[in-house]
Amino acid sequence: MLLFTPGPTPTPEIIRQAMAVPTLHHRTKEFESYFEFCRIKLIELINMQDVLMLASSGSGAMEASVRTFCKKPLCINSGKFGERFVKIAKAYNMPFIEILNDWDTAPSSDEVAKILNEDREIDSICIQMCESAGGLRHNVEDIAKVAKEINKNIVVIVDAITALGVEEIDTANIDVLIGGSQKAFMLPPGMVMIGLSNLALDLIDKNDIGFYFNLKTELKNQRKNTTAWTSPTTIIIGLAKYFEIANMKDIYKDTKQRAIATQEALKALNLKIYPKNPALAMTTIYSEDSLKIRKILKDKYEVNIAGGQDKLKDSIFRINHMGIIPVNEAVWVVNAIELTLNELHMRAFDGTAGRVFLENYYKQG
Ligand SMILES: *Cc1c(COP(=O)(O)O)cnc(C)c1O
């Protein structure tokens, strides 16, 4: 079965092998050297002042960030993950402002600027770089820039779990950048990374908040290449292997080529791309036949792709592009979709998907 869900993504053999070592104790020099290597590589990748690695799924980093950096956040809600920031604020009885969008539509930086100008109590913005609910790319770069022009102390918190490792991120105006092990890093679920700006570091020092997710305690430990609590040792060993094999420039280039080739191939089958501004992490298709398409793909062609959530549960499907993916697998996915449409009498098979995919993939290369 080919796993093509936008997280978790498959862990390559070479990384699985690296993790298949006897359990390391986390308070040893041997483990600290893995940790240090990952810290250096992550800081280089995100181009920010510092970084934290926490044993948690993505939501833990979102919660830690809201608690540590926000008194009144502006939450951009364009789907399930944006909604999660809202739910976290509510859970802590924190006042917040919400921009609620259709899941295929990103807010403009003007819209954000207007709200920030009207409400000077807003001290932070919580936003997804790619809102995975609909595969929507937010224009985080512009929004962050405009926000900083209005108030340089506003904390820009970006959930980049489906963007970090997918594309080069301009972190110039970002204060908190969240990534996760189970998406583009192709590791098992269970670890998050949080990139931090100088402003974020100042606030961590001032706001000594929480216990397990106390970022001040973590920072103190992690700067000494250890963690406050037990480290997710196996995942960190896997991450070290990822950095050993990954050439980020090549990964960004190939991910973009595969994403665009997939979009073009599916458009050529008259399928509709759902988001108005698609992210590179995944291709999201709107189809009322999603459920049937996914079932045939899985049962007959051994391709596992994701459906939607909530209101879009059975009306979209999502194909992953995150990680290092062999092109033969990616082209098989669009071929299998074309075969499936033929089976559902939606469109006769003539090899269009594979042809258009390859033309686009190699044209860009
Ligand atoms: C996968 C994902 C997360 C992680 O959420 P968990 O359920 O806590 O693992 C967070 N944000 C986005 C945008 C995601 O795609």
Side-chain angles (χ1 to χ4, degrees), residues 339-357:
L339 288 163
T340 302
L341 297 185
N342 185 66
E343 204 153 316
L344 289 170
H345 306 291
M346 288 166 69
R347 187 187 180 283
F349 182 88
D350 61 5
T352 294
R355 176 178 57 77
V356 173
F357 181 100

Side-chain angles (χ1 to χ4, degrees), residues 25-285:
H25 195 279
H26 57 289
R27 308 280 182 221
T28 57
K29 285 282 163 235
E30 196 184 355
F31 175 69
E32 284 168 16
S33 73
Y34 280 112
F35 196 87
E36 182 176 19
F37 177 68
C38 288
R39 254 179 77 72
I40 292 168
K41 285 297 195 178
L42 278 171
I43 290 173
E44 189 184 298
L45 174 71
I46 59 182
N47 192 22
M48 293 178 82
Q49 208 57 38
D50 216 322
V51 75
L52 287 170
M53 288 172 265
L54 306 176
S56 159
S57 87
S59 305
M62 294 167 74
E63 175 165 347
S65 300
V66 170
R67 287 207 71 196
T68 308
F69 303 111
C70 307
K71 288 202 171 64
K72 184 173 183 181
L74 170 62
C75 300
I76 313 293
N77 178 353
S78 315
K80 282 304 277 182
F81 294 98
E83 181 191 50
R84 194 166 298 178
F85 275 128
V86 169
K87 285 184 171 171
I88 294 168
K90 281 184 182 162
Y92 287 103
N93 291 319
M94 185 182 280
F96 65 90
I97 303 290
E98 180 179 12
I99 300 184
L100 185 62
N101 308 296
D102 286 336
W103 291 10
D104 63 349
T105 308
S108 68
S109 52
D110 289 349
E111 211 176 318
V112 172
K114 188 164 173 285
I115 290 173
L116 295 181
N117 278 320
E118 278 166 8
D119 187 343
R120 291 290 172 161
E121 279 177 5
I122 294 171
D123 65 348
S124 46
I125 297 180
C126 296
I127 186 170
Q128 273 62 38
M129 186 152 257
C130 162
E131 170 51 83
S132 312
L136 176 72
R137 176 66 158 80
H138 279 140
N139 193 346
V140 170
E141 295 83 348
D142 272 8
I143 288 175
K145 185 163 173 279
V146 162
K148 291 286 184 186
E149 280 163 12
I150 294 169
N151 172 5
K152 70 176 177 14
N153 289 322
I154 205 152
V155 187
V156 178
I157 300 170
V158 180
D159 166 3
I161 293 182
T162 44
L164 189 55
V166 170
E167 55 177 308
E168 189 161 6
I169 298 176
D170 175 5
T171 50
N173 295 304
I174 294 174
D175 297 296
V176 180
L177 186 80
I178 303 172
S181 59
Q182 80 276 31
K183 306 275 167 90
F185 296 102
M186 305 178 290
L187 297 165
M191 190 173 85
V192 284
M193 313 78 170
I194 312 181
L196 300 161
S197 71
N198 279 321
L199 173 62
L201 291 172
D202 286 348
L203 287 167
I204 287 175
D205 196 51
K206 249 195 281 170
N207 306 342
D208 193 350
I209 286 174
F211 183 75
Y212 181 76
F213 287 132
N214 186 309
L215 302 186
K216 189 170 180 176
T217 315
E218 277 300 342
L219 203 58
K220 200 172 110 206
N221 281 280
Q222 298 202 11
R223 283 175 169 165
K224 290 185 279 186
N225 299 314
T226 188
T227 48
W229 325 118
T230 309
S231 313
T233 47
T234 309
I235 300 179
I236 286 167
I237 291 168
L239 181 61
K241 181 51 88 176
Y242 171 85
F243 281 126
E244 229 182 278
I245 63 168
N247 173 326
M248 297 316 298
K249 241 186 148 146
D250 289 350
I251 290 179
Y252 295 150
K253 183 164 170 266
D254 190 66
T255 305
K256 188 172 181 186
Q257 280 174 220
R258 272 186 290 102
I260 289 173
T262 302
Q263 286 174 21
E264 290 305 318
L266 298 184
K267 279 196 274 184
L269 300 179
N270 293 322
L271 290 169
K272 185 183 180 303
I273 305 282
Y274 174 69
K276 288 175 192 150
N277 186 24
L280 296 172
M282 65 197 74
T283 294
T284 305
I285 297 294

